[in-house]
């Protein structure tokens, strides 16, 4: 429990059944505070601390990394949401 706490939480948010409003959010957390975040609606990293602003600026200048994060809506979010919706529909 002593020391530093680092985590990364990725989440997908949507409210429609057709998944047209799907948003991918990737949070980078240090000691329970989000210091940098990627949001697919914004399309780039945003820093919330001095260190986060520094990282966001650097990561936003790596085209491949931004492209990969932007693609997570399709690859990760929509893919898994479709699997879950199919599983739920099969049970009814």
């Amino acid at each position: 429990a002593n020391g530093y706490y680092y985590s990364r939480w990725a989440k997908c948010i949507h409210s429609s059944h057709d998944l047209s409003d799907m948003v991918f959010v990737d949070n980078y957390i240090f000691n329970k505070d989000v210091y940098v975040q990627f949001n697919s609606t914004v399309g780039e990293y945003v820093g919330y601390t001095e260190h986060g602003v520094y990282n966001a600026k650097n990561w936003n200048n790596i085209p491949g990394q931004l492209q990969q994060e932007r693609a997570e809506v399709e690859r990760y979010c929509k893919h898994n949401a479709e699997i879950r919706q199919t599983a739920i529909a099969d049970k009814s």
Side-chain angles (χ1 to χ4, degrees):
N2 294 331
Y4 299 103
Y5 175 77
Y6 172 81
S7 65
R8 182 176 174 191
W9 292 4
K11 58 186 170 184
C12 303
I13 303 166
H14 69 93
S15 59
S16 65
H17 289 290
D18 65 357
L19 310 178
S20 61
D21 63 344
M22 183 72 71
V23 177
F24 173 71
V25 180
D26 195 2
N27 291 310
Y28 295 78
I29 303 160
F30 183 73
N31 285 351
K32 299 182 183 179
D33 291 322
V34 174
Y35 69 95
V36 68
Q37 178 184 79
F38 178 87
N39 182 316
S40 64
T41 303
V42 176
E44 64 182 23
Y45 293 96
V46 176
Y48 296 103
T49 65
E50 184 178 346
H51 181 64
V53 169
Y54 174 81
N55 282 325
K57 181 181 174 187
N58 288 333
W59 296 347
N60 286 333
N61 287 320
I62 304 172
Q65 187 166 344
L66 277 179
Q67 183 180 8
Q68 183 176 351
E69 285 278 35
R70 291 173 182 151
E72 291 299 292
V73 172
E74 296 295 328
R75 188 197 71 79
Y76 176 71
C77 293
K78 289 186 179 178
H79 171 75
N80 287 319
E82 288 167 356
I83 291 171
R84 284 191 296 274
Q85 283 184 344
T86 301
I88 291 166
D90 288 349
K91 296 204 185 265
S92 16

